[in-house]
Amino acid sequence: MSYENKVSFREGRIVLYTRNGSPTFHVRLKVDGQDGYVVRSTKRVSVEEARTFAEDLYDDLRYRVRNNLDTGTHTFASLWKRWLAANRASLSIHRLRYIEGTANRYLLPFFGKRSLESINDVIVTQYWTWRIAYWSSAEGTAKIEAARKTRATKQNPWIQKLGNVAKVPAQKSLDMERTALLQIFHWGERNGLMKRVPDVSSPKVKPRGVVERRPAFEIEEWKELYRFMRGWVREEYTVTPSASQGSPIVRKPNGFHLWHRELLRSYVLFMGASGLRPNEARQLRWRDIATHTDEQGTKHIVLYVAPTTKTGERETIPLRNAWVIIDRLKAASSFTAPDNLVFCDRSGAPIDNFGKTFKALLIRCNLLKDRFGRDRTIYSLRHTYCTLKLLHSDVKIEDLAQNLGTSPATIFAHYRHITTRMKASSLGGQLRPGLSSKGLYF
């Protein structure tokens, strides 16, 4: 490639040129504070118009770099190349082969050309939908057929026939791909290429026709949990030293423990009153809480769910007792400005996970397992909200699905045992004396 009609200005930071006999000008920029060069086509054949384009682009990039904004020049493909170059030597040959295969087959075709700034929770959710259906799609089917017709050669003896590829991927496969994607994203965040790692939770794939009931709390268990937490927040705890240090010591919770337990208690009650997903609550800011007065003059809370969450932005109405919880959270927090997070640590940073403390709490009050022996998790609070709302209110499934940011089909599939209970009076039948001498129930 030869550079022709080369013109430079701004002390050599902007270079215009044509190449290989083409009349179209390209630009090469060097912006202070950004590694390497930015190379773009100006799509102009006039040097004056190309210079105007180049200077506008240079000024825009310079502003973005100075203000710590994403320049939009990093794509997933460029992140992948950098990650691979930095980590290739530390990976085993088997791990390297797996990650390269996963990237070339799935990650790069879907994410490759997207800017890192645009990859959010919604895009990742779309990826999983695309990935699960890939080998059943027209593109995937065509690849399988093409692979079957391909013959091995001396130069390429390892031809994949794709004969055993699963039309629906196994759960283990999705979990392994999630781990690989997280490795790449976290490396990008640590190296300043990404400002935020999106939620890449892999969906649960079940065998066809099998829908798992989601562990939740029954009403009596829920009452037992929130009553237990009232005393637990100030409960003494035992420190067990090593054998050489003497007997166990009973201590009262210090200021940090009191604060953390109160925060977890408020979090549990809020999640049970709102049905939010954990990542939706994690991104909730004080500006996202508003009010609405209905036709009867009753005031309700309105929560604005961020567009960067799993299903995008929406408005949701929590239970009215959420007022008390929100007031308690605000009174206990030092970060209550509109842009501050509702659930944050003592420095204002987001709290990554309450999972371990919540599990310890459930073990403490003997509520970790449901009746089928499945562990309850933070996500069980969302399922509890949905279960109790279906059982103890007259809300329609369509309205509940909209409030939760899901589909009526999903509600029915995972909570059909609840809808069965809702129809108990008609399903249980009535005594029909005319059907026999003693009557039959129908």
Side-chain angles (χ1 to χ4, degrees):
M1 180 180 70
S2 60
Y3 283 22
E4 302 157 354
N5 303 312
K6 188 174 178 181
V7 181
S8 63
F9 42 96
R10 297 275 186 106
E11 298 178 342
R13 292 185 175 90
I14 303 177
V15 178
L16 287 174
Y17 57 91
T18 60
R19 61 189 186 189
N20 300 331
S22 170
T24 301
F25 278 92
H26 293 256
V27 60
R28 188 188 71 192
L29 306 176
K30 182 67 180 80
V31 180
D32 292 341
Q34 181 167 327
D35 295 336
Y37 292 101
V38 176
V39 179
R40 299 273 181 88
S41 169
T42 69
K43 299 182 180 179
R44 273 65 169 183
V45 296
S46 164
V47 67
E48 292 80 10
E49 292 179 0
R51 175 167 183 161
T52 300
F53 174 91
E55 289 190 310
D56 287 345
L57 178 61
Y58 176 82
D59 291 337
D60 179 63
L61 291 175
R62 192 174 175 218
Y63 173 83
R64 287 176 171 272
V65 170
R66 284 186 169 183
N67 290 275
N68 199 30
L69 300 174
D70 188 86
T71 60
T73 58
H74 297 297
T75 63
F76 180 87
S78 65
L79 169 62
W80 160 251
K81 288 180 181 178
R82 292 190 181 198
W83 180 88
L84 188 61
N87 293 275
R88 182 186 291 274
S90 63
L91 297 172
S92 70
I93 186 172
H94 301 291
R95 181 66 177 167
L96 178 61
R97 183 181 300 166
Y98 167 75
I99 293 183
E100 283 189 307
T102 299
N104 291 328
R105 186 174 291 174
Y106 304 118
L107 303 183
L108 289 171
F110 186 88
F111 292 110
K113 294 181 180 179
R114 297 179 190 270
S115 70
L116 298 182
E117 186 179 30
S118 71
I119 299 177
N120 55 26
D121 298 0
V122 176
I123 297 298
V124 175
T125 300
Q126 292 172 0
Y127 166 75
W128 291 123
T129 302
W130 172 85
R131 167 64 183 96
I132 290 170
Y134 181 76
W135 292 113
S136 299
S137 68
E139 180 183 0
T141 302
K143 277 195 173 182
I144 294 174
E145 290 300 318
R148 286 173 179 167
K149 297 175 182 178
T150 303
R151 294 185 178 182
T153 63
K154 289 183 179 180
Q155 290 75 23
N156 193 6
W158 307 110
I159 293 294
Q160 286 190 316
K161 295 295 184 180
L162 300 176
N164 295 324
V165 67
K167 291 297 181 72
V168 177
Q171 187 64 55
K172 183 67 174 178
S173 298
L174 296 182
D175 291 342
M176 290 174 66
E177 290 171 25
R178 171 185 177 273
T179 300
L181 197 54
L182 270 178
Q183 275 187 278
I184 298 168
F185 282 158
H186 279 304
W187 186 89
E189 183 184 45
R190 289 195 303 272
N191 287 274
L193 302 180
M194 297 187 74
K195 295 188 180 302
R196 174 183 172 273
V197 173
D199 181 16
V200 298
S201 301
S202 52
K204 300 300 179 185
V205 178
K206 302 298 175 187
R208 183 171 296 178
V210 176
V211 179
E212 182 180 346
R213 285 177 58 174
R214 294 171 169 177
F217 296 94
E218 300 285 348
I219 185 65
E220 292 302 321
E221 294 172 323
W222 177 241
K223 287 157 67 174
E224 182 179 349
L225 175 60
Y226 70 66
R227 287 169 179 166
F228 178 84
M229 287 192 297
R230 292 171 185 166
W232 170 79
V233 292
R234 288 176 173 76
E235 186 180 61
E236 297 176 338
Y237 64 99
T238 303
V239 177
T240 305
S242 62
S244 62
Q245 292 178 316
S247 304
I249 303 169
V250 177
R251 291 181 177 172
K252 293 183 178 180
N254 58 32
F256 175 78
H257 287 133
L258 287 172
W259 171 82
H260 192 264
R261 288 185 180 186
E262 284 284 7
L263 182 61
L264 175 60
R265 178 193 174 207
S266 296
Y267 178 82
V268 169
L269 295 176
F270 180 82
M271 299 298 276
S274 66
L276 291 184
R277 297 179 177 89
N279 190 45
E280 293 172 348
R282 185 175 184 267
Q283 297 187 47
L284 191 69
R285 300 179 185 273
W286 291 109
R287 67 164 183 255
D288 300 327
I289 302 175
T291 61
H292 168 73
T293 303
D294 63 20
E295 296 83 354
Q296 288 75 39
T298 304
K299 185 179 287 188
H300 300 272
I301 301 171
V302 180
L303 304 177
Y304 295 97
V305 176
T308 52
T309 54
K310 180 178 180 180
T311 55
E313 62 182 301
R314 74 176 190 280
E315 294 180 7
T316 181
I317 307 292
L319 301 178
R320 289 170 60 192
N321 66 301
W323 277 119
V324 178
I325 307 164
I326 289 172
D327 288 343
R328 184 187 302 151
L329 283 164
K330 182 164 280 192
S333 179
S334 300
F335 300 91
T336 57
D339 285 338
N340 290 147
L341 294 166
V342 174
F343 297 101
C344 62
D345 61 21
R346 296 176 112 176
S347 67
I351 292 183
D352 289 330
N353 197 348
F354 285 102
K356 291 183 179 179
T357 310
F358 185 61
K359 182 177 181 178
L361 169 63
L362 295 184
I363 293 173
R364 181 71 179 76
C365 56
N366 198 30
L367 290 173
L368 178 62
K369 305 282 186 181
D370 71 357
R371 67 177 63 190
F372 301 105
R374 298 169 300 194
D375 283 3
R376 295 185 174 105
T377 65
I378 288 290
Y379 221 96
S380 298
L381 300 171
R382 175 175 167 87
H383 305 323
T384 298
Y385 167 87
C386 189
T387 298
L388 299 183
K389 194 70 178 164
L390 285 170
L391 273 175
H392 302 288
S393 77
D394 58 357
V395 67
K396 295 179 180 179
I397 286 181
E398 293 81 4
D399 295 334
L400 182 60
Q402 182 176 345
N403 206 46
L404 287 169
T406 189
S407 67
T410 299
I411 295 286
F412 182 76
H414 290 284
Y415 301 96
R416 64 178 62 186
H417 58 291
I418 303 301
T419 58
T420 300
R421 279 196 249 175
M422 293 164 63
K423 299 176 181 178
S425 60
S426 59
L427 293 173
Q430 297 180 9
L431 183 63
R432 311 290 183 180
L435 296 179
S436 74
S437 57
K438 293 186 178 180
L440 291 175
Y441 279 91
F442 278 106

